[in-house]
Amino acid sequence: MDEMIEQVTPTHVSLDDLEDLINSLSAEEIEELAECDPDDSSMPPYMRCAYKCNKDPTEWKGDENREKLQEGLKEQALAIPDKVEQVKWEKGTIRGKVYVPKVEEVIKPEYDSDDEDEKKKMVEEDPADLDDEYSQALQVATAGDIQDIADILGVTFQEHCVATTLKVFPTEAPNTTNIDEVIKQAAANDGELQDINLNNIKYISDQKWSALFAALRDNSVVESLSACNCDLTDSIVKELCDTLESNKTNQSPQPRI
């Protein structure tokens, strides 16, 4: 192969020779020569597309008039003849095969004579009755009985692990504080208003919160403010922070939010 390559002498092709070579090619050969690799990203997309439409252009192709395009499509559709039905359509006539769903046969399992009575009893019993029976048995079971069941099931039972008794706290009384009265007392710098408790009062509008914080900016009497579980938003909390920064008269504010 190397000897054959050495024997080939390089040829210099000019532009005139290249034009003569292209002119001598047929249309099919030129089309084949124009094909390029579709994965070659250096070529433009229209050259990488292998599909080429050879259909003749219609009369309305290239026309920007939409109505004319619709009329041409309608005329073309009406010009196509309808297919002739081999069998005339008649109402109620069934054509073709009627679908019949397959019915799978239920294979009944074979029971042994020894276990037949026991299995029939288990099938007849209601699962709800079994759950009630188990729950009633666990309610009257002692710690020793539960330990024996755990040993049978292979569950490790630790005697020193005892669940902490749940502490039941009494329900707090509803907060009857009137937010409107608090705003008035804070704005008037009332000496009786030292502790403000708004815990568990929901659905207080943003306007009332803003009015309260505006009244507290110049207040010198209020010592503590509690507003737990009041659904405060970030904007309302920001106003509260601005109030605490601007209130220089109160030396010991204790807000609890």
Side-chain angles (χ1 to χ4, degrees), residues 65-92:
N65 191 350
R66 184 171 180 271
E67 295 181 356
K68 187 175 181 180
L69 175 62
Q70 292 179 346
E71 292 177 359
L73 292 174
K74 184 177 180 180
E75 292 177 359
Q76 184 179 0
L78 294 175
I80 299 175
D82 297 334
K83 294 183 179 179
V84 180
E85 295 185 359
Q86 301 297 332
V87 180
K88 188 178 180 180
W89 181 83
E90 295 180 1
K91 185 177 180 180

Side-chain angles (χ1 to χ4, degrees), residues 49-249:
C49 182
Y51 173 75
K52 293 182 180 179
C53 183
N54 297 323
K55 295 182 179 180
D56 297 332
T58 56
E59 297 179 357
W60 62 86
K61 187 173 181 181
D63 193 347
E64 297 180 358
N65 191 350
R66 184 171 180 271
E67 295 181 356
K68 187 175 181 180
L69 175 62
Q70 292 179 346
E71 292 177 359
L73 292 174
K74 184 177 180 180
E75 292 177 359
Q76 184 179 0
L78 294 175
I80 299 175
D82 297 334
K83 294 183 179 179
V84 180
E85 295 185 359
Q86 301 297 332
V87 180
K88 188 178 180 180
W89 181 83
E90 295 180 1
K91 185 177 180 180
T93 303
I94 300 175
R95 301 183 181 181
K97 297 182 180 179
V98 180
Y99 173 74
V100 179
K102 295 182 180 179
V103 180
E104 297 182 358
E105 297 181 358
V106 180
I107 301 175
K108 297 182 179 180
E110 298 179 358
Y111 299 110
D112 297 336
S113 58
D114 298 335
D115 300 338
E116 186 174 358
D117 297 336
E118 183 178 356
K119 291 184 178 181
K120 285 183 179 179
K121 184 178 179 181
M122 292 177 63
V123 172
E124 292 175 357
E125 290 180 352
D126 190 3
D129 297 339
L130 295 176
D131 295 339
D132 295 339
E133 183 180 354
Y134 293 150
S135 61
Q136 292 176 3
L138 290 175
Q139 289 178 0
V140 299
T142 61
D145 297 336
I146 296 176
Q147 185 174 359
D148 295 338
I149 296 174
D151 294 338
I152 295 173
L153 298 176
V155 180
T156 305
F157 186 82
Q158 300 178 358
E159 296 181 357
H160 62 277
C161 294
V162 181
T164 305
T165 305
L166 181 63
K167 296 181 180 180
V168 179
F169 295 94
T171 306
E172 295 184 1
N175 195 342
T176 59
T177 304
N178 190 345
I179 183 65
D180 296 328
E181 295 294 333
V182 172
I183 294 173
K184 292 180 181 179
Q185 292 179 347
N189 204 10
D190 191 351
E192 297 181 357
L193 186 66
Q194 295 183 357
D195 298 331
I196 300 177
N197 183 7
L198 301 176
N199 293 339
N200 301 324
I201 300 179
K202 298 183 179 180
Y203 309 111
I204 299 176
S205 62
D206 296 346
Q207 292 79 7
K208 292 184 179 181
W209 283 116
S210 301
L212 176 61
F213 296 149
L216 291 176
R217 290 179 182 177
D218 299 329
N219 188 284
S220 59
V221 179
V222 176
E223 296 180 357
S224 65
L225 171 64
S226 300
C228 300
N229 194 21
C230 292
D231 296 339
L232 295 179
T233 60
D234 295 341
S235 59
I236 298 300
V237 174
K238 184 178 183 302
E239 292 184 13
L240 174 59
C241 296
D242 296 339
T243 301
L244 295 176
E245 291 179 358
S246 60
N247 190 340
K248 304 299 183 182
T249 59

